[in-house]
Amino acid sequence: MDDDLKGASDPATRLGGAQAVARALDILDAIAERPMKLPELAVQVGLSTTTCYRLANALVSRGLLSTSGRSGYALGDRVAELGAALKAQRSKRAKG
């Protein structure tokens, strides 16, 4: 079995992954309120600056957050794309 896949069935690994996802979603929720620079964002979500930086940059790499020098982190274009996809799916379901 591939070493990367072995850890996937380990409960500790799964919990850690779920925790990272929850923290990343906390970051998205905070930034949805308003753009923030890293130090403020870390305090807002209750994470160390290092952990917040790592997670925020993972979200940037997926387009869920964007960065600008003055305002810090803001929602990325991918959030709008996901919103449009949700709207289209709901429209299809409503039509039957």
Side-chain angles (χ1 to χ4, degrees):
M1 179 186 282
D2 188 341
D3 284 341
D4 291 338
L5 295 177
K6 278 192 245 179
S9 62
D10 176 24
T13 302
R14 286 196 313 262
L15 180 60
Q19 183 181 47
V21 170
R23 288 175 170 179
L25 292 172
D26 288 344
I27 290 171
L28 284 173
D29 285 342
I31 294 300
E33 293 177 21
R34 64 184 172 76
M36 286 182 229
K37 292 188 177 184
L38 179 63
E40 181 184 5
L41 178 59
V43 169
Q44 182 77 20
V45 296
L47 297 173
S48 71
T49 304
T50 303
T51 298
C52 190
Y53 176 81
R54 182 177 46 83
L55 291 170
N57 281 318
L59 293 169
V60 168
S61 75
R62 300 300 298 257
L64 293 164
L65 290 183
S66 65
T67 58
S68 82
R70 296 194 146 237
S71 61
Y73 292 99
L75 291 177
D77 292 338
R78 183 70 180 133
V79 174
E81 293 169 4
L82 292 170
L86 173 62
K87 185 176 179 180
Q89 288 177 9
R90 286 187 174 168
S91 176
K92 285 180 185 178
R93 276 189 258 155
K95 292 177 182 178

